[in-house]
Amino acid sequence: MSADVDVFLSGLLFYDLVFTGLEDAPKLGTETWTGGMASGPGGIANFAVTLGRLGLRTSLAAAFGDDSYGRHCWDTLESEGVDLSPSRRLTGWNTPVTVSLAYQGDRALVTHGAEPPGTPEDLLGEPPTARASIVHLEAGPVQASGLIFADLGWDPSQEWSPDVLDQLAGCHAFMPNAYEAMSYTRTDTPEAALAKLGELVPLAVVTCGVEGVLAVDATTGESARVPGLAVDAIDPTGAGDVFGASLVAATLAGWPLADRLRFANLSAALSVQGIGGSMAAPGWTGIARWWQDVTDPDLRRDYAFLSDVIPQ
């Protein structure tokens, strides 16, 4: 039986307000003017928009507040072609808002909001059958099908309990950044964290920012390490989500592991040259433009696979 969609997603959605152009963190008692600003759906929406722009049939289950922020996020995602039939608008509950301040090559996040009332099963509609699913470990168990890719966010307690990793049972892949991976596995290097995670999921991936990414895939017997791409970054907000969505797309396409990592790295690198997570996701248009302009012989060699996969 064929799947209803390519990718089903569930998780927390935020209304993101992003400020860029800051030289430093704002100082108490002063007013700081920024050189750039953008707003739009964030959180799990970063994955959804990226997947849609890569041509995958994408369905999202998330809670939206019945407020101006929630309505804006809903309308934006529908305009991106994301199926929202499993999502719900909740009266009397406000859409969480995240303010992202980008400076010194990174960003700081301030979020206001409350967990949606009820359990995910109570709130969300019947999920479609999918070739792959992306779930947030913090959101609790959600019905999913296909290859399950697990994601998580910042632990505000900073305890990084290893018990969270128990939820990886049945998952196909886990895609934390190096700090998260080392914190949850109680290891000192990304390599050691990857070895631990490789015992829990078939596809273990550890992202290391500008230093690149390393991964191991037990289903194919491959391991790979890919360097980062040097770009002039404006805003890293949501880059990890863009990376994860692009990795899912490349995995469903059946590419070799190194090519999957390069493709995800490229998508994330292109996204940080814009403002915001979902709205800066490059999609095939941005990727094709980048490939057309590449002259560096090493990049032409490493990314030669793009010539065969970019849609005409």
Side-chain angles (χ1 to χ4, degrees), residues 30-295:
T30 68
E31 181 177 5
T32 302
W33 287 67
T34 67
M37 186 195 80
S39 62
I44 195 65
N46 296 331
F47 283 91
V49 171
T50 302
L51 289 161
R53 291 183 178 182
L54 291 174
L56 278 78
R57 298 170 300 155
T58 304
S59 182
L60 170 64
F64 293 72
D66 189 21
D67 51 16
S68 59
Y69 298 134
R71 290 190 291 272
H72 175 75
C73 291
W74 186 285
D75 292 343
T76 300
L77 286 164
E78 281 197 330
S79 72
E80 292 284 343
V82 177
D83 167 42
L84 297 178
S85 57
S87 293
R88 293 291 179 266
R89 288 171 164 168
L90 304 180
T91 302
W93 178 76
N94 294 323
T95 305
V97 175
T98 293
V99 175
S100 176
L101 305 175
Y103 58 92
Q104 297 182 3
D106 207 337
R107 83 282 185 267
L109 306 177
V110 180
T111 297
H112 173 267
E115 292 285 338
T119 66
E121 291 82 359
D122 295 335
L123 289 173
L124 306 177
E126 184 71 22
T129 59
R131 297 169 60 204
S133 297
I134 300 174
V135 300
H136 262 276
L137 296 184
E138 306 101 312
V142 175
Q143 200 175 352
S145 57
L147 299 177
I148 300 176
F149 290 73
D151 184 54
L152 46 67
W154 177 259
D155 179 6
S157 72
Q158 298 192 50
E159 294 178 355
W160 309 101
S161 171
D163 294 343
V164 171
L165 302 182
D166 294 340
Q167 299 179 52
L168 291 174
C171 292
H172 175 74
F174 186 41
M175 311 173 288
N177 63 40
Y179 184 82
E180 294 164 344
M182 291 186 291
S183 297
Y184 281 117
T185 59
R186 303 298 194 262
T187 54
D188 297 325
T189 66
E191 293 79 8
L194 181 69
K196 289 275 190 181
L197 296 177
E199 299 173 357
L200 303 177
V201 288
L203 175 59
V205 181
V206 176
T207 61
C208 302
V210 295
E211 297 180 7
V213 56
L214 53 157
V216 58
D217 189 340
T219 64
T220 63
E222 298 171 283
S223 61
R225 184 176 202 131
V226 172
L229 287 170
V231 296
D232 294 325
I234 296 175
D235 171 35
T237 305
D241 299 336
V242 173
F243 174 96
S246 301
L247 181 67
V248 172
T251 299
L252 289 178
W255 302 346
L257 180 60
D259 289 347
R260 286 182 264 163
L261 299 181
R262 290 190 182 100
F263 182 75
N265 253 3
L266 173 58
S267 290
L270 294 177
S271 76
V272 303
Q273 296 179 83
I275 305 177
S278 61
M279 296 298 95
W284 283 118
T285 300
I287 290 168
R289 186 182 302 117
W290 177 86
W291 180 236
Q292 183 177 9
D293 294 340
V294 168
T295 57

